[in-house]
Amino acid sequence: MEDNLLIWKLNHGSADALCRIYEKYRDDLVRIAAGLLNNMSVAEDVVQEVFLTLVRSAGRCEIRKNLKGYLTTCVANKIHDLNSKKSAQNPVSLDDIEPAASDSQEPDQRVACDEEFENVYKAIAQLPYEQKEVVVLHLQGRMKFREIAELQGTSIKTTISRYGYGLDKLRSMLSSEVER
Amino acid sequence: MRLADEIKRLVRDAKVIIDPVVKRDALKELIDELEKSETNRSAETTPSVWRIIMKSRTIKLAAVAVIMIAVLLGLPFLPKSMTSPTLADVLAKVEQAKAYIYKMNVKVTGPVMRGWPMGQDMTGTVTISKDFGMKTEMEMIDPNTEESMSQEDYIIPDEKLLVMLMHEKKQFTRTELNDDLVARMKKQNNDPLELIRGMLDVKYTELAKSEIDGIEVDGFETTDPTISSGTTGDVKVTLWVDSESWLPVLVEMDMSINEQTRSRITFYDYQWDVPVEKSDFVPVIPDDYEAIFEDMEWPEMTEEAAIEGLKLVADLMGRYPKQATIVELMAEISPIMFKRIKKDHPGEMTETELETKMMEAIQPVYPIGLFYMTLVEDKKEPVYYGQTVSPDEVKAVLLRWKTSDDQYRVIFGDLSTMDVTTEQLAELEN
């Protein structure tokens, strides 16, 4: 209910409501975007774009499902768009165009995280995009498989399979990290 | 090999380090964008609000009628227990009269509401028949133009009709009254002197004998605000009755309409048991009079309509009205509505057109005051917290009233409703 009221107030130009929505969800959205992009500054830009779109739609914004789910979907769609544009410019696979999770990345582009999570983000970055998307949106974005399937335009079964493969790969990568 | 659950937890818990400077700057950009789009947006978003508002058809004068009737007839909507033999005697005498005429003067000092077209000083004659209805003929001077205006209003309960004739403009309106209002009017026999019954039910004092126009009179006075059914602020009602006939000679009401406005209403020159006919209460509308805004409906006085009104106000102002009494409500909302309309129609309308539009727009807000008035009249002990409760206070009590000995109905800050016990209410209000 609180989110509905925040949206209602935002629709009436309330800066307080905007601040509350921002404080409530911005960090999580950046985390999700960072997981999907493996690039901190692009992740921040994407999230900012999503908030800017929300602000510009104030006055006519109608959110029927939960606000976090809505914003997470917006972030995922934005990244899809970004990847599509890049893909159109350079006809290579999605995974090819993502920055590799390696030390060769510019320091300010890497996902800024505590040491304990560094390997996690590196591992996530190695996943094929569709698998990465399911894993991140489900585990970090708390999105349901049905919602992710809608977003990916696939069946729930495919989405769940991608999640299973993604998780297995992460398990393999992170275990070998530890064992090394 | 790590367990799948451990991997899930690692991914779920993986945090990124947020740069507070980037975050702060990004938020500033959003706020700037919001302010920028607010300027551009007001014209775009307003239609959605006005689409809701404009569904209700009404006119400026009908808007005034709502307030006038609420204020004047709000007074009669009072319970009828009798505790004083003296005042009860007066009441018994009045009740014997089937029809009577009296004069009325209304003086208003200060603004009632934006666009209020009545003069500050109105004088008229009221004819009341317990069988046929009520007729009011008023003369007033428009303080802005100094032009004289005359208006005839007919309330015909059997036909559920309010007819208003504006003679100078050669216009008339017909407003259908809703069942709730008619039932209340019938119950009270259209009788503004129900205030005597009201006085019987509140604390009043007997005044020393006096003399009016050579007639010895007895006086009764009350300052109990419940006598005005929540339609006004503080109030003082003084009733003077002929010591010999026990019939009223003069009634004076002094009441605050809002913080800057007071109203003084005097009823005098009573003629008792005058012969009247049904035709006296049938409006004669000259052929050259134009019907304006036909099919108007009296605002609903229900909980649902009041909630809709509250929603609209919250939508418009981002908060609830501070007071639920109809005159204070109108005084608060009308200037805001006016500004809004003026902003939305820059240079397109005259001041009068803007005021008329504002009167139309304000129509859906009436049910808040009217519903609150019925709660006071029905002794349901309403308490309204519009001054402190905002729309985002989901579980704060905005308005509550008694529905039985230990049950209350509550409208919350988010406009949801609930029936609660006395204990639950105490907890909610704590």
Side-chain angles (χ1 to χ4, degrees):
Chain A
M1 178 51 79
E2 197 211 358
D3 283 350
N4 287 343
L5 282 165
L6 288 174
I7 283 296
W8 179 86
K9 289 177 95 169
L10 179 66
N11 275 336
H12 290 80
S14 165
D16 281 350
L18 172 63
C19 292
R20 279 175 68 180
I21 294 169
Y22 186 81
E23 285 300 333
K24 201 171 168 184
Y25 297 123
R26 193 258 183 190
D27 294 356
D28 273 351
L29 293 173
V30 169
R31 183 168 74 115
I32 291 163
L36 293 173
L37 289 159
N38 194 37
N39 184 314
M40 196 65 178
S41 51
V42 180
E44 283 171 333
D45 287 350
V46 164
V47 171
Q48 185 70 359
E49 273 298 311
V50 167
F51 273 108
L52 277 169
T53 307
L54 182 74
V55 166
R56 286 171 190 147
S57 71
R60 53 182 194 282
C61 183
E62 279 182 39
I63 293 169
R64 290 189 176 85
K65 62 178 181 176
N66 72 77
L67 180 56
K68 189 183 177 187
Y70 170 81
L71 293 170
T72 306
T73 307
C74 289
V75 167
N77 282 332
K78 257 302 180 243
I79 295 171
H80 260 294
D81 291 348
L82 203 67
N83 285 340
S84 301
K85 275 180 199 164
K86 281 187 181 174
S87 179
Q89 285 161 5
N90 310 296
V92 286
S93 81
L94 284 174
D95 295 318
D96 291 338
I97 62 164
E98 283 167 8
S102 70
D103 293 338
S104 63
Q105 239 180 308
E106 289 296 318
D108 67 331
Q109 290 182 343
R110 269 184 247 152
V111 175
C113 60
D114 289 338
E115 207 176 327
E116 60 172 313
F117 298 122
E118 209 171 302
N119 290 335
V120 177
Y121 279 105
K122 276 183 184 173
I124 291 172
Q126 309 278 342
L127 295 177
Y129 187 79
E130 287 82 3
Q131 290 175 18
K132 184 192 311 182
E133 193 174 49
V134 186
V135 169
V136 170
L137 294 181
H138 182 67
L139 291 176
Q140 293 191 335
R142 306 285 166 103
M143 280 177 76
K144 292 177 181 151
F145 288 125
R146 180 180 48 75
E147 294 167 331
I148 301 168
E150 269 175 38
L151 183 83
Q152 292 189 329
T154 57
S155 66
I156 291 189
K157 207 177 153 191
T158 307
T159 303
I160 292 171
S161 293
R162 284 173 178 172
Y163 176 71
Y165 289 133
L167 218 54
D168 278 350
K169 281 183 191 162
L170 283 179
R171 204 174 152 203
S172 161
M173 284 185 278
L174 290 169
S175 295
S176 58
E177 270 305 315
V178 172
E179 281 156 15
R180 250 198 314 230
Chain B
M1 190 92 160
R2 290 191 176 194
L3 294 171
D5 283 348
E6 198 185 346
I7 301 297
K8 285 184 202 169
R9 186 192 55 76
L10 269 175
V11 175
R12 198 176 287 136
D13 295 347
K15 299 273 187 295
V16 290
I17 296 169
I18 299 294
D19 183 337
V21 178
V22 173
K23 189 176 171 179
R24 189 198 59 212
D25 291 350
L27 179 60
K28 191 181 173 305
E29 184 194 13
L30 294 173
I31 291 169
D32 290 346
E33 185 67 24
L34 181 69
E35 282 167 5
K36 201 165 72 187
S37 61
E38 169 69 9
T39 319
N40 302 329
R41 198 176 60 242
S42 61
E44 292 166 27
T45 56
T46 303
S48 67
V49 175
W50 294 113
R51 263 199 296 279
I52 303 164
I53 292 169
M54 290 310 208
K55 278 182 187 169
S56 51
R57 287 190 279 173
T58 184
I59 57 161
K60 193 173 185 176
L61 284 168
V64 173
V66 173
I67 297 168
M68 285 301 289
I69 290 171
V71 172
L72 296 176
L73 297 188
L75 292 166
F77 297 160
L78 289 158
K80 299 178 178 178
S81 66
M82 292 187 190
T83 52
S84 159
T86 323
L87 257 183
D89 287 343
V90 177
L91 180 62
K93 290 291 281 184
V94 171
E95 281 180 335
Q96 285 169 22
K98 288 199 81 173
Y100 52 90
I101 295 173
Y102 59 88
K103 288 204 170 138
M104 180 169 83
N105 176 257
V106 181
K107 279 191 173 67
V108 181
T109 52
V112 176
M113 64 185 281
R114 177 91 217 191
W116 180 264
M118 297 286 192
Q120 300 287 313
D121 195 332
M122 296 169 269
T123 304
T125 305
V126 182
T127 309
I128 287 171
S129 161
K130 287 178 180 172
D131 296 326
F132 307 125
M134 180 173 175
K135 175 182 171 182
T136 309
E137 297 155 284
M138 296 295 286
E139 292 279 341
M140 64 215 84
I141 304 288
D142 186 322
N144 301 317
T145 62
E146 294 193 343
E147 285 173 8
S148 170
M149 292 161 65
S150 58
Q151 185 169 321
E152 266 178 65
D153 300 344
Y154 294 82
I155 296 171
I156 314 160
D158 284 348
E159 294 177 33
K160 296 186 193 171
L161 212 56
L162 164 68
V163 179
M164 303 168 74
L165 283 84
M166 285 71 78
H167 294 299
E168 282 70 24
K169 291 183 176 173
K170 295 193 172 184
Q171 290 175 330
F172 72 98
T173 69
R174 292 164 72 91
T175 306
E176 199 179 311
L177 303 173
N178 60 37
D179 290 337
D180 193 13
L181 184 69
V182 171
R184 283 170 186 277
M185 283 178 165
K186 280 189 171 172
K187 190 173 149 195
Q188 309 296 348
N189 292 324
N190 306 314
D191 185 354
L193 281 183
E194 285 290 330
L195 77 91
I196 300 171
R197 293 193 177 97
M199 283 181 82
L200 286 169
D201 212 49
V202 297
K203 256 190 186 174
Y204 70 90
T205 51
E206 293 183 13
L207 304 174
K209 276 188 187 294
S210 185
E211 195 182 294
I212 297 173
D213 295 335
I215 300 169
E216 191 185 56
V217 290
D218 288 278
F220 304 90
E221 190 169 278
T222 182
T223 52
D224 191 324
T226 55
I227 197 156
S228 59
S229 303
T231 54
T232 63
D234 67 271
V235 64
K236 184 168 97 172
V237 178
T238 313
L239 167 69
W240 295 100
V241 299
D242 186 326
S243 301
E244 204 173 301
S245 70
W246 283 101
L247 283 166
V249 170
L250 177 70
V251 178
E252 293 169 305
M253 291 190 288
D254 184 34
M255 59 186 84
S256 71
I257 301 291
N258 55 48
E259 277 176 11
Q260 302 101 40
T261 310
R262 291 200 76 82
S263 174
R264 189 178 171 80
I265 305 172
T266 314
F267 302 104
Y268 58 103
D269 274 359
Y270 284 95
Q271 298 173 53
W272 298 97
D273 263 331
V274 293
V276 291
E277 291 178 12
K278 189 173 182 180
S279 59
D280 294 334
F281 296 87
V282 177
V284 178
I285 304 169
D287 290 343
D288 61 341
Y289 276 36
E290 178 200 2
I292 50 171
F293 295 93
E294 286 182 280
D295 305 327
M296 283 189 307
E297 286 177 10
W298 185 265
E300 292 291 330
M301 299 157 83
T302 60
E303 177 190 320
E304 293 74 25
I307 289 174
E308 280 304 308
L310 286 166
K311 203 170 155 190
L312 186 74
V313 175
D315 209 15
L316 191 75
M317 309 197 302
R319 62 172 175 81
Y320 292 121
K322 287 178 186 159
Q323 303 292 337
T325 62
I326 192 152
V327 278
E328 284 179 294
L329 186 68
M330 291 304 125
E332 185 184 353
I333 310 295
S334 62
I336 296 164
M337 280 273 192
F338 185 84
K339 268 189 202 163
R340 182 78 178 252
I341 294 170
K342 197 169 180 177
K343 191 177 162 195
D344 294 341
H345 301 274
E348 291 171 25
M349 292 184 194
T350 64
E351 197 87 343
T352 311
E353 284 169 338
L354 287 168
E355 282 172 351
T356 304
K357 211 160 191 56
M358 182 273 294
M359 292 282 189
E360 289 170 2
I362 216 162
Q363 171 90 348
V365 179
Y366 288 138
I368 305 169
L370 293 175
F371 178 61
Y372 183 79
M373 187 182 79
T374 64
L375 295 176
V376 176
E377 288 159 15
D378 296 340
K379 291 237 157 197
K380 291 186 176 169
E381 301 170 23
V383 179
Y384 176 72
Y385 296 101
Q387 207 133 23
T388 51
V389 172
S390 62
D392 60 352
E393 288 179 88
V394 180
K395 283 295 159 208
V397 177
L398 175 63
L399 172 65
R400 52 93 160 167
W401 64 96
K402 211 168 185 166
T403 50
S404 68
D405 282 349
D406 64 344
Q407 284 282 315
Y408 286 82
R409 180 96 175 139
V410 175
I411 298 177
F412 292 101
D414 66 348
L415 299 182
S416 61
T417 55
M418 196 191 275
D419 293 308
V420 298
T421 62
T422 309
E423 289 73 30
Q424 287 168 327
L425 179 70
E427 212 169 283
L428 284 167
E429 288 184 332
N430 203 346

